[in-house]
C-alpha cells in the first residue's frame, strides 16, 4: 500500500471569508488583553469607570457611593446626622437644658413630641436637636453706627469681659451674673443702673425690635435675664453657671419680654444710684389681686400652688426646710434678686414666683401639674 501525506493549506490558500473570521477573532483577543491591562494599571483603590452604551452615545457611570443621587438641584452628602440623646438627671428642666445645649424649649418640645408640656422625668432619655439647630458661638459682630458715646463705651467694656466666668450675684472681674455685667458695662460709661434685671427694665425707654441699636438691653424669662445688644443680630450675656461671658444670637421675638434703651449719657449722668423703680410701682388690692394681675390667665394654677404652700401668708416659714414666703422659696434668699424687701413685700415674692415657674416649668399651670404628682414644685 502507498500512503499519501496531506499538507495544511497556506494562509493564501484559505478562502477569503474564513481569513476575515480569523482576523476578527484575533483582533477581539488583542482588544480584550489591552482592556485588562488598562484596568490593572489604574491607581490602587480607584474604582474602574463603568460606561453604558446606548447606540452610538455613551452614558457616564453612576456617581460614587459617597454622594446621593440628584434631588431637585445639587447634591447632598449621603450620611445623615446621628440622633443624639441624653439621660435625664434629677433637677433637669427643659429651660436649663435648652440653655446648656444652645437651643430653645420649643425646639426640645417639638423634637421630643411633648406638645406644650414641660414635664420631664429623671431616668428618661431626651432627644437633642441635630447640630444644625444649635447656635454656635459667632464671631464678633460689627456694630451698627451711629452710636452714642455712652453706648460705645458700655459695649466696649462688655467685649473686654468676654470669657470671664459667670458667677451668681457677682459684679466684678472675677465673675458676673447677667445684670451684674450690664450694670458694670454701663457704669464704665458713667451711667448707673439698678442691680437687678427686673429693675433695669425700668431704667430706660421701651423700643421695638426693629429699633435695636448696640448697647440696648434685651430681657427674657419674665425679666429674670438681661442681655446687652451687640449689633448684627447678637447679644453679649452672662448666661448661667458653667458658662462664661459670651456672644449669643438675639433671642426669638416670641421669647423676649422687652427691649429697653438706657437713659442718659456719659456727660450728663451722676454717680447717684438709680432707684429700684421696678418695686416702687404699686398694684392696688389684696395679695390675691396682685397675683391675678401678675399671672393673668394662669392665675388659677398659681393660686392653687400658693394656697397649698403658704395659705397666702407672706411670712409663712417651713420649720423643716426653711422655705419662706407665699411661694415657699428655698432657699429664701433667692427672692432677693427681685427686691431687698422680699421678706415682707408680696409683690416681690410673687414676681420671683412668676420668674421661677416660667423658667423651670414654662408657666404656672405646668408647675401646678407637676405639683399634683409630686406635692412639691
Amino acid at each position: 500500500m502507498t500512503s499519501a501525506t496531506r499538507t495544511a493549506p497556506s494562509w493564501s490558500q484559505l478562502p477569503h471569508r474564513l481569513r476575515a473570521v480569523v482576523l476578527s477573532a484575533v483582533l477581539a483577543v488583542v482588544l480584550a488583553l489591552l482592556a485588562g491591562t488598562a484596568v490593572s494599571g489604574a491607581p490602587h483603590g480607584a474604582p474602574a469607570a463603568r460606561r453604558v452604551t446606548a447606540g452610538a452615545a455613551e452614558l457616564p457611570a453612576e456617581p460614587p457611593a459617597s454622594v446621593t443621587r440628584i434631588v431637585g438641584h445639587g447634591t447632598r452628602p449621603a450620611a445623615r446626622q446621628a440622633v443624639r440623646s441624653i439621660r435625664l438627671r434629677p433637677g433637669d428642666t427643659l429651660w436649663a437644658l435648652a440653655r446648656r445645649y444652645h437651643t430653645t424649649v420649643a425646639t426640645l418640645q417639638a423634637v421630643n413630641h411633648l406638645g406644650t408640656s414641660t414635664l420631664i422625668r429623671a431616668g428618661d432619655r431626651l432627644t437633642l436637636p441635630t447640630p444644625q439647630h444649635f447656635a454656635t458661638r459667632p464671631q464678633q459682630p460689627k456694630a451698627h453706627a451711629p452710636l452714642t458715646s455712652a453706648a460705645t463705651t458700655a459695649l466696649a467694656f462688655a467685649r473686654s469681659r468676654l470669657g470671664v466666668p459667670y458667677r451668681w450675684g457677682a459684679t466684678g472681674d472675677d465673675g458676673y451674673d447677667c445684670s451684674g455685667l450690664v450694670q458694670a458695662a454701663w457704669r464704665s460709661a458713667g451711667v448707673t443702673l439698678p442691680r437687678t434685671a427686673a429693675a433695669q427694665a425700668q431704667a430706660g425707654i421701651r423700643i421695638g425690635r426693629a429699633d435695636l441699636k448696640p448697647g440696648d438691653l434685651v430681657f427674657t424669662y419674665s425679666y429674670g435675664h438681661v442681655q446687652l445688644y451687640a449689633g448684627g443680630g447678637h447679644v453679649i450675656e452672662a448666661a448661667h453657671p458653667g458658662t462664661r461671658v459670651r456672644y449669643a444670637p438675639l433671642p426669638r421675638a416670641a421669647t423676649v419680654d422687652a427691649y429697653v434703651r438706657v437713659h442718659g449719657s456719659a456727660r450728663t449722668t451722676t454717680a447717684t444710684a438709680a432707684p429700684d423703680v421696678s418695686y416702687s410701682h404699686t398694684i392696688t388690692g389684696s395679695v390675691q389681686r396682685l397675683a391675678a394681675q401678675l399671672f393673668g390667665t394662669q392665675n388659677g394654677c398659681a393660686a392653687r400652688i400658693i394656697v397649698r404652700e403658704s395659705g397666702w401668708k407672706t411670712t409663712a416659714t417651713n420649720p423643716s426646710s426653711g422655705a419662706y414666703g407665699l411661694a415657699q422659696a428655698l432657699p429664701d434668699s433667692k427672692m432677693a434678686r427681685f427686691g431687698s424687701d422680699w421678706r415682707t413685700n408680696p409683690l416681690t415674692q410673687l414676681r420671683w414666683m412668676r420668674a421661677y415657674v416660667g423658667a423651670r416649668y414654662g408657666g404656672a399651670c405646668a408647675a401646678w401639674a407637676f405639683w399634683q404628682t409630686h406635692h412639691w414644685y
Side-chain angles (χ1 to χ4, degrees):
M1 292 180 64
T2 59
S3 60
T5 302
R6 294 185 179 181
T7 60
S10 64
W11 176 259
S12 59
Q13 292 176 328
L14 292 174
H16 182 272
R17 183 171 295 179
L18 181 59
R19 282 186 292 173
V21 171
V22 173
L23 286 174
S24 298
V26 173
L27 181 60
V29 171
V30 172
L31 290 176
L33 291 174
L34 289 176
T37 302
V39 172
S40 64
H44 180 68
R50 297 189 293 109
R51 291 183 177 271
V52 181
T53 58
E58 287 189 339
L59 302 177
E62 294 180 0
S66 60
V67 177
T68 62
R69 295 180 183 276
I70 295 175
V71 180
H73 298 287
T75 59
R76 55 184 173 84
R80 295 181 178 179
Q81 297 286 357
V83 176
R84 299 180 61 203
S85 65
I86 59 171
R87 188 170 296 282
L88 295 171
R89 298 176 296 180
D92 279 342
T93 66
L94 284 184
W95 175 80
L97 292 170
R99 301 195 73 175
R100 184 186 309 165
Y101 292 102
H102 306 288
T103 183
T104 65
V105 170
T107 301
L108 289 174
Q109 288 171 327
V111 170
N112 290 276
H113 309 290
L114 297 176
T116 58
S117 173
T118 58
L119 293 181
I120 54 177
R121 294 177 175 81
D124 289 350
R125 297 202 71 87
L126 186 79
T127 301
L128 299 176
T130 50
Q132 59 262 35
H133 294 112
F134 296 152
T136 56
R137 180 173 176 171
Q139 298 295 321
Q140 178 172 319
K142 296 181 179 179
H144 292 170
L147 299 178
T148 65
S149 58
T152 301
T153 303
L155 194 55
F157 178 93
R159 285 173 176 154
S160 73
R161 297 306 189 267
L162 289 170
V164 174
Y166 175 98
R167 297 189 193 282
W168 188 86
T171 60
D173 290 341
D174 62 333
Y176 295 96
D177 62 12
C178 64
S179 56
L181 174 66
V182 169
Q183 185 187 51
W186 276 96
R187 185 190 299 120
S188 72
V191 177
T192 303
L193 294 180
R195 174 63 183 90
T196 66
Q200 289 173 0
Q202 306 297 325
I205 59 172
R206 300 296 177 95
I207 58 174
R209 189 180 181 92
D211 299 320
L212 276 172
K213 291 183 179 179
D216 292 337
L217 309 184
V218 180
F219 295 87
T220 56
Y221 299 106
S222 298
Y223 296 95
H225 184 53
V226 59
Q227 303 163 310
L228 192 70
Y229 186 60
H234 292 91
V235 294
I236 297 177
E237 67 171 356
H240 54 81
T243 64
R244 297 175 180 272
V245 177
R246 65 188 184 185
Y247 282 106
L250 177 67
R252 292 182 299 109
T255 67
V256 175
D257 299 311
Y259 309 97
V260 173
R261 181 156 299 151
V262 176
H263 285 310
S265 69
R267 290 188 299 273
T268 60
T269 11
T270 66
T272 303
D276 194 346
V277 295
S278 173
Y279 302 102
S280 64
H281 177 64
T282 302
I283 302 178
T284 59
S286 64
V287 178
Q288 289 88 342
R289 183 171 177 79
L290 293 175
Q293 294 187 48
L294 278 175
F295 285 95
T297 58
Q298 300 216 0
N299 179 57
C301 299
R304 291 184 179 93
I305 294 174
I306 295 171
V307 166
R308 287 159 179 78
E309 291 290 321
S310 66
W312 293 101
K313 296 178 182 178
T314 306
T315 57
T317 303
N318 186 309
S320 300
S321 66
Y324 184 84
L326 292 168
Q328 292 290 279
L330 181 68
D332 54 3
S333 58
K334 283 199 266 187
M335 292 187 289
R337 66 181 298 188
F338 285 84
S340 58
D341 57 355
W342 58 271
R343 290 187 179 276
T344 57
N345 190 340
L347 178 58
T348 301
Q349 294 185 9
L350 290 170
R351 279 176 166 156
W352 172 82
M353 179 184 177
R354 183 179 63 175
Y356 171 74
V357 298
R360 185 174 178 84
Y361 300 100
C365 287
W368 170 238
F370 184 91
W371 197 101
Q372 292 177 87
T373 301
H374 301 85
H375 301 290
W376 60 271
Y377 76 112

